[in-house]
Amino acid sequence: LGGNHDIGVLCPRLRNTEGGRIANSSRLWSLVRRLGLLPDLPEPRGDLHFCDIAQGAAMLIRADVFAELGGFNEAFFMYGEEIEYSVRVRQQGYEVAVHDGVEVEHTNPIQLVLQNEAYKTYYDTRNRFLLGTLRFSGASRVLYTVLALGTVVIHALKYLRVGDVATFKTQLFGVWDAFNGRYGRYRY
């Protein structure tokens, strides 16, 4: 990380096994930033460009920042811990950067993904709301929760459209458990 003391997390560019790029941001996080819930991103510097969240598949974390922020929050158990950490990094005035000169292939066999769809859907859904509870307060929390509910509804409609009632129910369990404060390893 050299002399870039403002960078708390540095990531490579990620590619999947088919060569497609895995993004370090999403429309949700771009909207969260534009609504003022996260600071604006700095302009790119050389091979570094800045993003809202780090991909947990590959990232370098500054030890001093990690210690200052208290590491990862264990309530997340699976899925979203790097997102929550990235939000804390940004809220404390540090940046999340991607180095365009470094690329890593992220292998995720499709069989593994399909076998664990319920597991992933549950924890991903539940942890979206945990993040809002922990990292935002007042009107910001309400706004973030509305945005998170919007993404859940979009996914739910997708599941129902293709007749995937089992994944839809798993998502509902995630929302239920989130609003009832059930975190850590709870289901699945």
Side-chain angles (χ1 to χ4, degrees), residues 61-102:
I61 300 174
R62 287 178 48 145
D64 60 329
V65 175
F66 194 72
E68 176 186 333
L69 299 181
F72 290 111
N73 186 323
E74 292 184 15
F76 280 82
F77 178 64
M78 292 291 293
Y79 299 104
E81 64 277 5
E82 77 279 13
I83 296 170
E84 188 272 340
Y85 184 76
S86 297
V87 169
R88 270 192 290 149
V89 164
R90 302 223 39 246
Q91 288 176 334
Q92 293 302 312
Y94 297 103
E95 299 298 340
V96 176
V98 175
H99 194 293
D100 288 326
V102 179

Side-chain angles (χ1 to χ4, degrees), residues 42-176:
E43 292 297 319
R45 294 193 308 243
D47 284 337
L48 298 177
H49 76 269
F50 298 90
C51 58
D52 295 303
I53 59 169
Q55 288 289 343
M59 57 186 188
L60 297 172
I61 300 174
R62 287 178 48 145
D64 60 329
V65 175
F66 194 72
E68 176 186 333
L69 299 181
F72 290 111
N73 186 323
E74 292 184 15
F76 280 82
F77 178 64
M78 292 291 293
Y79 299 104
E81 64 277 5
E82 77 279 13
I83 296 170
E84 188 272 340
Y85 184 76
S86 297
V87 169
R88 270 192 290 149
V89 164
R90 302 223 39 246
Q91 288 176 334
Q92 293 302 312
Y94 297 103
E95 299 298 340
V96 176
V98 175
H99 194 293
D100 288 326
V102 179
E103 190 171 283
V104 170
E105 181 179 281
H106 179 40
T107 304
N108 194 0
I110 190 68
Q111 294 82 7
L112 183 63
V113 172
L114 293 175
Q115 289 171 357
N116 292 309
E117 185 64 29
Y119 181 86
K120 181 184 182 320
T121 300
Y122 170 78
Y123 286 108
D124 183 56
T125 300
R126 188 200 62 181
N127 290 344
R128 287 174 193 258
F129 297 101
L130 174 58
L131 185 137
T133 300
L134 295 176
R135 296 297 137 226
F136 301 105
S137 60
S140 294
R141 181 183 296 165
V142 171
L143 185 54
Y144 173 82
T145 301
V146 168
L147 292 173
L149 276 172
T151 64
V152 168
V153 168
I154 289 168
H155 286 101
L157 292 174
K158 223 184 298 184
Y159 296 135
L160 290 174
R161 191 174 333 115
V162 299
D164 188 352
V165 176
T167 305
F168 172 76
K169 286 168 68 176
T170 301
Q171 195 175 38
L172 286 179
F173 283 137
V175 172
W176 178 260

